[in-house]
Amino acid sequence: MRRSLAIALLSIAAACGGGHSTSNPPPDSGVVSTDHCDYQPLTPTANAGGTVTAGQLMAGAAERVLDVPVGTALGGYTARAGFLGGTTLVDTRRVDMPGVFNPSIGVEAAPRVKAIALTADTETVVIVKVDMIFVYEGMLFDVEQKLGPQFAGKVILASSHSHSAWAQFTGHGPLKLGAGEFRQLVYDRFVDTIVATANDALAARQPAKIGFSFDGNFDPTDQINHDRRPENDNLPGGNKKDDHLYFMRVDTMAGAPIAAVDVFGEHGTLQDENNELASSDAIGALERQVEEQFDTPMIAMHLQSAGGDNSPTGHGGLDCGNKPGGSNDPCFGWTSEEGHGRAAIATLMTAYTNAGSNMQSQVSLEMLSRSIDTGPAPQTFTIRDGALSYAPFDLTKTPDGKVYDTDGTTVLSPIDEFNAPVGAGLCQDTSAMFPTAAITGDDGILPYGSCLRLDVAGSILGEIFNIDFHVDGTHPVCETTRTTISALRINDYVIGTMPGELTVMLASYMRTKSPVDEAHTILVGYAQGHVGYMLRPEDWLTGGYEPSVTFWGPLGAEAIAEQTLELMPLAMTATRADGTTDGTTRVATVTTTDTLAIDNPAPMAGTVPATVPPEVWARTGHPTQAQPAAQISRISGIAQFVWAGDDPAVQTPHVTLQVKQPDGTFAAAVRRSGRVVDDVEILRAYTPVPLQRQGAPQTHYWVAEWQAVPWSGEVGLDDLAARAGVPLGTYRFHVEGSGWTLDSQPWDVVAGGVELGNVTRAGGTISATVSWHAPKGWRLLDMTAMSNDPVGVASQAMTVSLMGAGGGSALATSQVTTDASGKISVPDTAGATSLQVTDGYGNVVTSSL
């Protein structure tokens, strides 16, 4: 219910826009004007003119972590607004950064920026994917400008759509209901990191080759993604998920991997609204799994396609009745992310291999972008060669109440039910949440009956959320009057971008209209901008919450799709075109001045407290001491370290796991890919003390936690069957702050973490169940079982010994393999008083008989 409320409120906000034209003004509210909007001309496409010529491909790739302050709101769920009560706060902290939204409290899987730079002949393009909820168009143009005039129209900026990534970067007023108030500090960190990552990729370019593969029926058993929209199941093509997997592979000329890009649709919603630690969610899990298939660093990038009506399939979980942090533990289910990545890796690597069969080094490359008009004049939305259109907006008229022709499926045109001069939202049912904002005459008509006029609903929600939407009956939200589309050609493939949550039926339609066949048509959603969900009219009319997150009713998305389809052929011609031709201006980027209190330097930064304040929160419960315990066991053991660090607005600490070497020095633990072990394996939680700023500087406490299981990409131990095999030895945390470093005291990892249960002795047989048990753990132990409950160790070889009362040598020893539930059975032996089991990693567990 709380999630439904979050989506509903976001949908109203997302649609609280208007138009830019004086055509068909509402007669009772004056002329709709955009005189207050700051429009700027779109810079003409760089490199326009001349002929597209194939040339040697030069390619580079790079990634960086987004150093956005902890405390920044996470995007995607309006229920994270504190007054809605949609999350379980761990304490009563108050942080200025997020405004009315709950602050984030740490980092689980650090949101990242990834970039791929491609050059052929005279053309250079950059594909950037950022872990964020959606794209703010102003960010795209600022990135292009900072990269230089040669990149005008040459950057694809796509989002992962993680609902647990940093937000507060958008100047789009209504979308702030899902992203929090705009903060200049956060926005600048995004732009600076994107630009730096793009420049890293450009600097890394070298002679390369590229290949593609396509699977038009991928994941038929829904192990990776699945359809989440039942409302359209009765429509032709509606009962279908995004089952199109496109894969792009970029290698050096010698065959070493540079980048791997998979393209299909799924939401970033494995974590729900009560997750308060920043996470790249399902998308990051896919990328990490691909990257750890290689012995050298390469960049894996997931680009969204028709993810609007598709969800990720999670695997594994936690028993939330078992809360290691006590009553204030929200039970964060991060295990499902790793399970998702593990479930997908075989499919993705098959696609990678297939892409290697057609690698090409000579490449024809062209890209162009265009800013387009999005209302409010109803003729803006006329589609299908005039077959579908809106009637003139006129608030004095009542709709006829007829939606379909006599066949019950053909949509009647012109549509007079969507009578909203500055747009409408929350169109999902038959009656309106706020009757005063309802479109007159639509009551009882699905889904028009619940539509709220955005000028009225915007003022209601703006007051509730303390956000000025700058919308009324005559002035729309400027950001809703424009959007951006792009097309990129790579040899005989065309990539078309869609600025929102592309859905399957619309994607399927676009593939049939593409200038190339569907196997060569790659559609990237959540890119270049954001207009909400993008559905075909027939799909929109079936209701449900996806249509509620739209600006301009049933025709809005297909109108954008038609313009993308007009742009895509220009990228396939022999002449380099200027994409801004036939386009329009764009909305200027918003800028503000932050007035946030920042402690720089922070009290005690870079030191370890003698006593941990009672306010300090950690995933496994309040730390009783600052330093890690001297010894922890495999699987169940948790190392925990507390220190006073920087104000997060200055720097989020980078924490790595270090291992003691034979010469007595410590070195970073390293994954197969060459990356150091840091986030995902190491949780970082933050607590300001006092919890609420009282004028004086706060002390900024951080906690690092690591569970003693093998890290992702640990050579020889990356399979779930090896969870009990993390190397024994001495470890420590290494912390890097703003101008300082700090090391924790070391701890030893010792054998353990294995339990025996259900021990029985009957009929000449001794039986037991061998389990792993990590009651305070959060790492994945099994693809189906709850990872903080006892998990049967399936199909593993065990040495089973029966011991006598006096100890000494075993009375009998057997080599046994556990069954699928972890059960073992051995013949009984006279005089045996205890059962001892040793697994393949030397972990020993004993039970009396």
Side-chain angles (χ1 to χ4, degrees), residues 509-510 513-515 560-569:
Y509 168 76
M510 293 180 70
K513 300 291 184 179
S514 170
I560 296 171
E562 288 192 351
Q563 295 196 63
T564 301
L565 288 167
E566 291 176 3
L567 189 66
M568 288 161 65

Side-chain angles (χ1 to χ4, degrees), residues 60-63 112 114-116 247-252 255-262 286-301 345 349 352 672-675:
E63 68 176 348
R112 283 170 161 78
K114 299 191 175 187
I116 300 171
F247 207 99
M248 182 177 81
R249 171 176 170 174
V250 184
D251 288 357
T252 68
I258 294 175
V261 183
D262 63 270
L286 294 175
E287 294 171 342
R288 289 190 295 274
Q289 283 293 320
V290 172
E291 287 167 348
E292 295 310 319
Q293 305 304 306
F294 299 93
D295 296 328
T296 57
M298 51 82 69
I299 299 302
M301 178 186 293
I345 189 60
M349 290 309 295
Y352 176 87
R672 176 182 176 182
S673 67
R675 294 170 170 84

Side-chain angles (χ1 to χ4, degrees), residues 486-557:
S486 298
L488 167 62
R489 171 192 181 180
I490 305 176
N491 282 344
D492 52 354
Y493 286 83
V494 63
I495 299 174
T497 67
M498 289 292 280
E501 308 204 33
L502 179 63
T503 55
V504 171
M505 288 183 63
L506 184 56
S508 298
Y509 168 76
M510 293 180 70
R511 289 166 185 146
T512 67
K513 300 291 184 179
S514 170
V516 297
D517 62 40
E518 71 169 1
H520 292 79
T521 301
I522 302 175
L523 301 174
V524 177
Y526 302 93
Q528 310 297 69
H530 198 74
V531 301
Y533 283 90
M534 308 191 78
L535 305 105
R536 299 204 77 190
E538 293 80 1
D539 195 358
W540 190 95
L541 288 168
T542 63
Y545 80 77
E546 284 86 359
S548 73
V549 191
T550 56
F551 294 177
W552 291 106
L555 306 185

Side-chain angles (χ1 to χ4, degrees), residues 808-831:
S809 300
L811 300 178
T813 299
S814 304
Q815 300 299 317
V816 179
T817 300
T818 59
D819 68 8
S821 64
K823 184 178 179 179
I824 57 171
S825 296
V826 296
D828 200 347
T829 297

Side-chain angles (χ1 to χ4, degrees), residues 679-694:
D679 62 293
V680 180
E681 277 78 19
I682 300 175
L683 301 179
R684 285 167 288 172
Y686 164 72
T687 306
V689 176
L691 292 173
Q692 300 177 24
R693 184 177 288 274
Q694 300 169 356

